[in-house]
Amino acid sequence: MEGNRMALIAIIVENPDSTNEMNAVLHEYASFIIGRMGIPYRERNIAMVSIAMDAPINTINALTGKLGRISGITAKAVCSNAIQKEGKSK
């Protein structure tokens, strides 16, 4: 069985019209998201969003890929090396 990893997904929103689609995708993965922070940068007309997750690596990659396919959205993930097996805590 695959364990969970902690991850951060960095999202750059260059097209504000894409935020509804981005939010719909994030809602699909809400059960894995443990936190979200958005920073609008009005001078540049962009926003930066960070998503903290606790999920299997294939779920993290699937979310990042879906976000990256949205026009005007760039998304990259960084994952912890520690794998948390189900039912065990550190």
Side-chain angles (χ1 to χ4, degrees):
M1 180 191 298
E2 177 177 330
N4 283 4
R5 293 180 187 240
M6 298 297 299
L8 288 174
I9 298 178
I11 304 168
I12 303 292
V13 180
E14 296 180 286
N15 179 0
D17 294 334
S18 298
T19 56
N20 286 339
E21 188 176 354
M22 178 190 74
N23 286 326
V25 171
L26 291 173
H27 182 73
E28 290 176 38
Y29 292 84
S31 63
F32 298 102
I33 295 173
I34 57 175
R36 172 180 174 164
M37 179 180 64
I39 303 170
Y41 188 16
R42 291 175 185 86
E43 291 81 11
R44 286 273 188 95
N45 197 34
I46 66 169
M48 294 162 277
V49 181
S50 63
I51 304 294
M53 297 183 71
D54 183 356
I57 191 70
N58 60 349
T59 302
I60 296 164
N61 290 337
L63 172 57
T64 304
K66 284 183 179 183
L67 290 169
R69 287 189 291 276
I70 300 172
S71 176
I73 302 284
T74 303
K76 302 290 180 185
V78 60
C79 300
S80 69
N81 289 324
I83 299 173
Q84 181 68 41
K85 299 293 184 190
E86 189 175 319
K88 294 189 178 185
S89 61
K90 288 191 170 189

